């Protein structure tokens, strides 16, 4: 039996329902398919039709807001609406009663699948930040759409399409753990080779690489390549080649990395697909060249990459190219330029929740702080970098190259500060959130030991 207060709440909701017009009740029921908040375009696509003409939707939404059934809120990506959970649950009961739940859930899935396609298509252009903000707002509804695909017979391929189109959410926006779990589960449910499975496999390889799981990255890329040959998907073969090049780079197999990344660049150099084909390959190849002792060629590649990104309005990979340029400057003794570039990379990373990119840039800033005689600050930055990185994956990407540089900085900090003072500063850094860490690295943090401004 329900507790008295629950019975009272349900009676109040029932009374509100009785006060609604039939069309308002129907829209309320259909809106229950949404999780979190949602936009007006989604309401038109998912809820209109079958006794709810499109031209009535705006007025009905207004009426539900006036009746306090719907909450309304302005956001950076547009005006959004939300049902509180108790009202959503009540509406869902009515949707089941109307025998519309499966149809409306399918419409909901279709809307967010189309939105995922649009976001992927636009990701490398001037509205990149808009799409980051927009898709983070849509996160709850993406989960609902994915759960529909995973739990409805015959919908697994749609799940693969949705997941792989949102590769940038998993890799660029700090959601790698979630993306990996969804991809692994969905791939298990779809074992037969297909173009959709190939794309999901190279996205999974990308996530594994970003998390520092090189063995997992290689396994997914090799499976992608094998399946792609069977289904005749040449584009997936090239992207699998790129992912194998990334894995080789992280393993310090520089000759293999150079060859494989070079193939990916040649295939994509027309610029048709900037991300995730061309631009990441260029940045990674530049790092390989740096590791091989050719900083001049690395710098030429990176400046070309930055020019392409700037022309297209692309910020995410541009920030990686600027970070890599900071590493080149650091290696060639241009300390002022290294710091300026590392900080510029962090300023761009602020637009995204890109934990991996922030972790890499923080390591360069820490190295420059150490070179400037601010070893306590360097220790704090490294502590913050490691703690935040672990929310996403393995610090330093599990790479011998990145680990060696990190270990060198830690050793030098211990030598200059003493082990206890280093550990205390490192522990203090571990308490910093991502934004606090960026503030510290940019000299904005409230601290007596700040780095000088650019």
């Amino acid at each position: 039996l329900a507790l008295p207060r629950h019975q009272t709440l349900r009676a109040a909701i029932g009374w509100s329902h009785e006060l609604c017009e039939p069309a308002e009740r129907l829209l309320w029921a259909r809106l229950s398919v949404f999780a979190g908040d949602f936009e007006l375009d989604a309401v038109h696509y998912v809820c209109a039709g079958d006794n709810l003409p499109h031209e009535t939707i705006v007025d009905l939404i207004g009426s539900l807001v006036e009746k306090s059934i719907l909450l309304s809120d302005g956001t950076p990506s547009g005006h959004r609406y939300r049902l509180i959970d108790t009202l959503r649950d009540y509406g869902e009961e009515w949707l089941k009663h109307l025998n519309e739940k499966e149809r409306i859930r399918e419409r909901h899935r279709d809307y967010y699948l189309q939105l995922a396609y649009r976001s992927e298509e636009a990701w490398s252009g001037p509205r990149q930040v808009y799409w980051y903000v927009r898709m983070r707002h849509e996160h709850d509804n993406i989960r609902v759409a994915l759960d529909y695909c995973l739990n409805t017979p015959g919908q697994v391929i749609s799940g693969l399409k949705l997941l792989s189109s949102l590769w940038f959410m998993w890799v660029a926006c700090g959601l790698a753990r979630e993306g990996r779990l969804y991809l692994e589960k969905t791939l298990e449910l779809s074992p037969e080779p297909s173009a959709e499975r190939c794309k999901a496999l190279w996205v999974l390889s990308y996530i594994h690489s970003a998390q520092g799981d090189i063995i997992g990255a290689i396994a997914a890329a090799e499976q992608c390549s094998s399946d792609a040959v069977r289904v005749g998907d040449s584009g997936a073969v090239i992207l699998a080649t790129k992912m194998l090049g990334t894995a080789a780079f992280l393993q310090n197999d520089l000759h293999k990395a150079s060859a494989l990344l070079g193939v990916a660049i040649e295939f994509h150099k027309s610029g048709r697909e900037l991300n995730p084909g061309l631009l990441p390959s260029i940045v990674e190849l530049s790092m390989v060249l740096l590791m091989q002792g050719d900083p001049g060629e690395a710098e030429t590649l990176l400046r070309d990459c930055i020019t392409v990104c700037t022309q297209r309005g692309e910020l995410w990979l541009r920030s990686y190219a600027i970070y890599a340029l900071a590493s080149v400057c650091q290696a060639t003794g241009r300390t002022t330029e290294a710091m300026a570039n590392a900080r510029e990379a962090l300023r761009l990373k602020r637009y995204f929740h890109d934990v991996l990119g922030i972790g890499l840039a923080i390591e360069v800033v820490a190295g420059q702080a150490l070179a400037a005689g601010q070893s306590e600050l360097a220790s704090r930055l490294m502590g913050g970098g490691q703690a935040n990185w672990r929310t996403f994956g393995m610090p330093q990407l599990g790479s011998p190259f990145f680990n060696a540089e990190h270990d060198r900085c830690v050793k030098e900090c211990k030598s200059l500060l003493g082990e206890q003072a280093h550990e205390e500063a490192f522990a203090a850094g571990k308490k910093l959130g991502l934004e606090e860490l960026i503030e510290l690295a940019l000299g904005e943090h409230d601290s007596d030991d700040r780095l000088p401004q650019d």
Side-chain angles (χ1 to χ4, degrees):
L1 289 174
L3 294 171
R5 65 176 179 275
H6 291 156
Q7 292 173 332
T8 302
L9 176 61
R10 187 167 179 82
I13 294 171
W15 178 248
S16 296
H17 194 257
E18 287 296 317
L19 292 176
C20 289
E21 298 295 327
E24 292 170 348
R25 294 179 200 167
L26 182 56
L27 181 57
W28 178 353
R30 291 178 181 176
L31 290 174
S32 69
V33 76
F34 292 103
D37 54 18
F38 47 88
E39 59 178 2
L40 188 59
D41 282 353
V43 179
H44 275 285
Y45 186 94
V46 175
C47 301
D50 290 344
N51 302 315
L52 280 182
H54 278 278
E55 59 272 16
T56 66
I57 293 295
V58 172
D59 287 342
L60 290 171
I61 286 283
S63 296
L64 291 176
V65 169
E66 285 177 11
K67 289 181 167 71
S68 299
I69 290 162
L70 265 186
L71 301 178
S72 171
D73 188 31
T75 74
S77 61
H79 212 81
R80 300 181 70 82
Y81 302 91
R82 182 168 64 88
L83 278 169
I84 65 170
D85 288 345
T86 50
L87 297 180
R88 182 173 179 261
D89 293 344
Y90 194 91
E92 188 176 16
E93 289 179 22
W94 272 90
L95 196 63
K96 289 178 186 173
H97 178 72
L98 295 167
N99 291 319
E100 286 199 340
K101 186 172 181 180
E102 287 308 306
R103 183 180 71 83
I104 297 298
R105 287 190 73 197
E106 185 176 356
R107 293 285 292 170
H108 178 277
R109 187 278 318 277
D110 289 347
Y111 179 81
Y112 288 99
L113 182 57
Q114 290 178 30
L115 195 64
Y117 290 156
R118 285 171 56 201
S119 65
E120 181 185 28
E121 183 71 24
W123 176 251
S124 295
R127 302 194 75 204
Q128 196 173 57
V129 174
Y130 165 83
W131 282 107
Y132 162 72
V133 173
R134 173 77 182 275
M135 298 314 285
R136 285 300 293 239
H137 271 302
E138 306 294 2
H139 191 187
D140 288 338
N141 281 300
I142 294 295
R143 285 172 171 160
V144 168
L146 285 169
D147 288 342
Y148 172 80
C149 293
L150 286 170
N151 295 303
T152 305
Q155 299 298 327
V156 176
I157 293 295
S158 292
L160 290 176
K161 290 177 179 178
L162 181 55
L163 280 164
S164 54
S165 293
L166 294 172
W167 64 266
F168 64 90
M169 276 185 72
W170 320 129
V171 175
C173 305
L175 298 171
R177 294 181 188 275
E178 179 177 338
R180 188 193 73 230
L181 289 171
Y182 269 122
L183 279 162
E184 289 172 346
K185 184 174 181 181
T186 311
L187 284 162
E188 281 180 16
L189 295 172
S190 182
E192 290 301 310
S194 65
E196 293 83 7
R197 179 177 163 81
C198 289
K199 185 174 182 182
L201 280 165
W202 66 250
V203 173
L204 180 60
S205 179
Y206 202 168
I207 293 172
H208 278 309
S209 291
Q211 290 189 304
D213 178 5
I214 312 308
I215 302 304
I218 292 170
E222 288 180 342
Q223 186 65 59
C224 171
S225 187
S226 174
D227 283 9
V229 169
R230 289 178 64 183
V231 301
D233 188 343
S234 59
V237 171
I238 297 299
L239 281 163
T241 300
K242 186 268 166 196
M243 298 307 165
L244 289 170
T246 300
F249 155 57
L250 294 175
Q251 289 180 316
N252 268 25
D253 188 343
L254 303 183
H255 180 73
K256 183 177 181 180
S258 180
L260 294 173
L261 293 170
V263 168
I265 289 169
E266 280 301 307
F267 183 84
H268 290 294
K269 66 182 180 182
S270 65
R272 180 181 61 82
E273 187 182 52
L274 296 184
N275 279 311
L278 180 66
L279 298 179
S281 304
I282 292 173
V283 173
E284 289 164 21
L285 182 59
S286 75
M287 292 299 293
V288 170
L289 288 165
L290 177 61
M291 292 157 70
Q292 288 176 323
D294 192 353
E297 185 62 27
E299 184 165 348
T300 299
L301 266 182
L302 289 168
R303 292 199 182 278
D304 287 347
C305 182
I306 291 167
T307 297
V308 171
C309 291
T310 303
Q311 288 171 346
R312 303 294 184 92
E314 204 284 347
L315 294 178
W316 175 62
L317 242 298
R318 181 178 158 198
S319 66
Y320 274 104
I322 294 170
Y323 147 76
L325 187 57
S327 297
V328 170
C329 293
Q330 188 176 42
T332 52
R334 292 135 65 191
T335 56
T336 302
E337 203 175 337
M339 178 63 86
N341 281 315
R343 283 176 154 179
E344 179 60 19
L346 281 173
R347 290 187 188 100
L348 292 176
K349 290 296 180 196
R350 255 182 167 158
Y351 291 115
F352 314 99
H353 193 78
D354 186 356
V355 182
L356 168 59
I358 291 165
L360 287 167
I362 287 292
E363 288 286 308
V364 176
V365 177
Q368 292 307 302
L370 185 58
Q374 294 176 292
S375 44
E376 185 181 348
L377 179 57
S379 295
R380 238 184 304 151
L381 286 167
M382 286 189 289
Q386 298 302 284
N388 280 281
W389 212 326
R390 289 185 186 283
T391 68
F392 181 88
M394 188 180 296
Q396 284 76 54
L397 294 150
S399 159
F401 173 78
F402 293 118
N403 272 320
E405 178 59 22
H406 174 79
D407 292 345
R408 183 195 68 77
C409 287
V410 168
K411 185 177 179 181
E412 195 168 336
C413 284
K414 286 180 178 179
S415 174
L416 291 168
L417 288 171
E419 189 146 351
Q420 184 177 345
H422 162 74
E423 293 296 344
E424 287 173 357
F426 197 89
K430 287 171 71 173
K431 296 176 182 177
L432 296 175
L434 204 62
E435 180 58 29
E436 290 175 309
L437 179 62
I438 293 172
E439 288 175 2
L440 181 62
L442 295 179
E444 301 169 356
H445 201 268
D446 185 17
S447 168
D448 294 331
D449 190 19
R450 291 187 299 177
L451 285 161
Q453 291 295 319
D454 298 340

